[in-house]
Amino acid sequence: MNQTALPHGANSLRNGPDARGRFGGFGGRFVAETLMPLILEVEAAWEAAKADPAYRQELDLYLKDYVGRPSPLWFAERLTRELGGARVYFKREELNHTGSHKINNCIGQILLARRMGKTRIIAETGAGQHGVATATVCALFGLPCTVYMGAVDVERQKPNVFRMRLLGAEVKSVSSGAATLKDAMNEAMRDWVANVRDTYYLIGTVAGPHPYPAMVRDLQSIIGEETKEQLQAAEGRLPDMAIAAIGGGSNAMGLFHAFLDDPSVRLIGVEAAGRGLDTREHAASLSRGRPGVLHGNRTYLLQDDDGQIQEAHSISAGLDYPGIGPEHSWLHDIGRVEYVAATDAETLEAFRLCTRTEGIIPALEPAHAIAHVMKIAPGMGKDGIIVLNLSGRGDKDIFTVATHLGVRL
């Protein structure tokens, strides 16, 4: 790792971003002039909330009694035996209320929106887990909710679309572009510009304009903090490796953040290689992209020679995004986190192996991380420890998996 990459005067990789919302050369605020006052309002409200013990107390209450935290740390004994190497632990975020890590962030942001006096909530979603979590907290607090979702994702994530509508959310199908997550986020930002006075945009990942990347990371960092404590209790030491799937990157930052200053812990993010990194059908922005600006921040993006954003592809709707959170871009450039990729085919194999050996049906997103564990665990000694963020459950993906396996439901 390049130690000179630390911000001036900083002694920790956990201190970012700087006052301008930058992680090195990434992040910032690239938004329409209409939105800038609201962005500054969100930032001021978040800083005030973080400093208010009453906010923290309320958040902790909902995380414990509504979300069900702490989530368990599970020793995947049969998977470990099958792979024949390092011991594999799952941080079981799929056991949270609503079935993924997304609810951690949504609880924190809905409490913030209420403090700000906002009366309408909008969100974007790909796999639908963030949409379900947003619709859930809006139902809990009696706020109207509009969720933007690409038409392709609406079709392949039917169970989550139905759940959102049951919860009272309006799901708006977006047909522009590739009709996936990028396009849903575009429409959500247009809505926000048109309704700045009463609307709060509840962004679901560590992307977007400052303060969202840092705010979402902070709200998800409970994942790594719990993991650290739980593994110390189980094994008496830190893991050798912490691994997570990467789309926008919130589940990974949630796990990694607690370990950034522990150089003995190898951190690995797994992007979606789709049909192969040497094709144009993947979502690996760090492996095959270059820096640019999208959705209010500077980060690594899939783009052509003219700077036009290229469409991403993944079997997983939640990873089907042509960019990544700016903190990941920074961690990539300074070498603190390794970023690799898993193909659709490898992910399906991992999905089936996890289901068969552990009796846990994972979402296709964390199945990408399991696919990489299948590659590296056998080469590690039996005293090695890998912690994987099992960020979501696979109910939502059964139609997609069945189609790829040639099964009619």
Side-chain angles (χ1 to χ4, degrees):
M1 185 186 74
N2 178 11
Q3 295 289 350
T4 62
L6 283 170
H8 180 67
N11 59 5
S12 170
L13 291 174
R14 303 179 69 197
N15 286 347
D18 65 18
R20 300 179 304 150
R22 299 294 184 103
F23 299 93
F26 302 101
R29 280 188 280 247
F30 297 84
V31 296
E33 190 174 335
T34 318
L35 277 181
M36 189 59 79
L38 184 54
I39 288 287
L40 295 174
E41 181 189 6
V42 172
E43 181 184 18
W46 174 238
E47 292 300 320
K50 284 195 298 181
D52 185 353
Y55 173 81
R56 184 73 244 184
Q57 185 177 16
E58 187 178 24
L59 175 60
D60 288 345
L61 174 69
Y62 282 102
L63 290 174
K64 175 179 176 289
D65 293 338
Y66 190 70
V67 175
R69 301 210 70 89
S71 64
L73 184 70
W74 171 250
F75 173 44
E77 186 174 2
R78 289 198 66 232
L79 178 65
T80 295
R81 194 181 315 135
E82 180 87 10
L83 298 179
R87 297 194 297 282
V88 180
Y89 282 85
F90 290 163
K91 180 58 171 166
R92 297 201 58 189
E93 292 297 294
E94 98 283 4
L95 291 179
N96 294 337
H97 180 46
T98 73
S100 81
H101 69 293
K102 294 294 188 179
I103 191 71
N104 305 322
N105 169 56
C106 288
I107 286 287
Q109 285 201 57
I110 199 73
L111 295 178
L112 183 69
R114 292 174 77 222
R115 285 171 66 103
M116 295 173 67
K118 300 301 179 182
T119 56
R120 175 176 177 261
I121 306 296
I122 60 171
E124 85 297 327
T125 196
Q129 288 302 105
H130 175 61
V132 168
T134 302
T136 296
V137 297
C138 286
L140 178 64
F141 292 110
L143 292 175
C145 174
T146 299
V147 179
Y148 289 90
M149 190 173 191
V152 169
D153 295 335
V154 167
E155 179 61 27
R156 62 179 170 175
Q157 299 291 310
K158 290 178 181 177
N160 275 347
V161 174
F162 184 56
R163 290 168 76 194
M164 284 182 265
R165 288 174 172 153
L166 279 176
L167 288 159
E170 178 187 14
V171 180
K172 289 196 173 182
S173 179
V174 178
S175 300
S176 59
T180 54
L181 181 56
K182 166 181 67 70
D183 313 292
M185 199 164 186
N186 287 340
E187 289 303 315
M189 294 195 86
R190 290 189 186 101
D191 183 318
W192 201 21
V193 169
N195 298 282
V196 293
R197 187 171 57 176
D198 66 342
T199 297
Y200 182 90
Y201 182 10
L202 206 163
I203 291 179
T205 193
V206 288
H210 179 65
Y212 282 99
M215 176 167 61
V216 176
R217 176 206 66 197
D218 289 348
L219 291 168
Q220 292 291 2
S221 64
I222 192 171
I223 299 170
E225 291 162 5
E226 287 180 1
T227 299
K228 207 169 190 177
E229 184 177 329
Q230 290 167 324
L231 196 61
Q232 283 286 358
E235 295 278 358
R237 69 177 182 90
L238 296 175
D240 297 290
M241 183 183 303
I243 186 166
I246 300 278
S250 65
N251 95 87
M253 279 312 310
L255 178 64
F256 295 166
H257 189 63
F259 297 103
L260 288 178
D261 292 336
D262 298 308
S264 66
V265 182
R266 187 177 168 194
L267 304 177
I268 300 181
V270 186
E271 297 188 290
R275 297 191 175 98
L277 292 179
D278 294 328
T279 73
R280 289 194 173 186
E281 295 180 275
H282 61 77
S285 55
L286 287 175
S287 300
R288 289 294 186 271
R290 55 192 171 88
V293 174
L294 179 67
H295 295 147
N297 71 112
R298 185 175 187 272
T299 190
Y300 273 84
L301 303 168
L302 298 178
Q303 50 190 314
D304 63 21
D305 292 339
D306 297 321
Q308 297 298 306
I309 302 301
Q310 293 180 316
E311 302 300 346
H313 162 78
S314 171
I315 191 174
S316 160
L319 306 186
D320 199 350
Y321 182 67
I324 194 166
E327 190 167 7
H328 283 295
S329 293
W330 175 62
L331 292 168
H332 168 269
D333 274 13
I334 68 173
R336 177 60 186 99
V337 180
E338 303 168 48
Y339 294 91
V340 297
T343 65
D344 291 348
E346 291 168 335
T347 298
L348 279 170
E349 183 183 357
F351 177 97
R352 298 175 75 180
L353 180 66
C354 179
T355 301
R356 178 171 55 83
T357 59
E358 293 300 322
I360 298 171
I361 302 175
L364 285 171
E365 289 81 11
H368 283 73
I370 297 169
H372 194 67
V373 168
M374 290 168 62
K375 296 176 186 177
I376 59 178
M380 296 172 64
K382 293 184 183 296
D383 58 345
I385 298 173
I386 299 173
V387 171
L388 179 146
N389 191 1
L390 197 69
S391 56
R393 66 185 183 217
D395 314 29
K396 66 186 179 60
D397 293 318
I398 56 171
F399 294 99
T400 298
V401 172
T403 298
H404 280 81
L405 297 179
V407 177
R408 291 190 64 183
L409 297 181

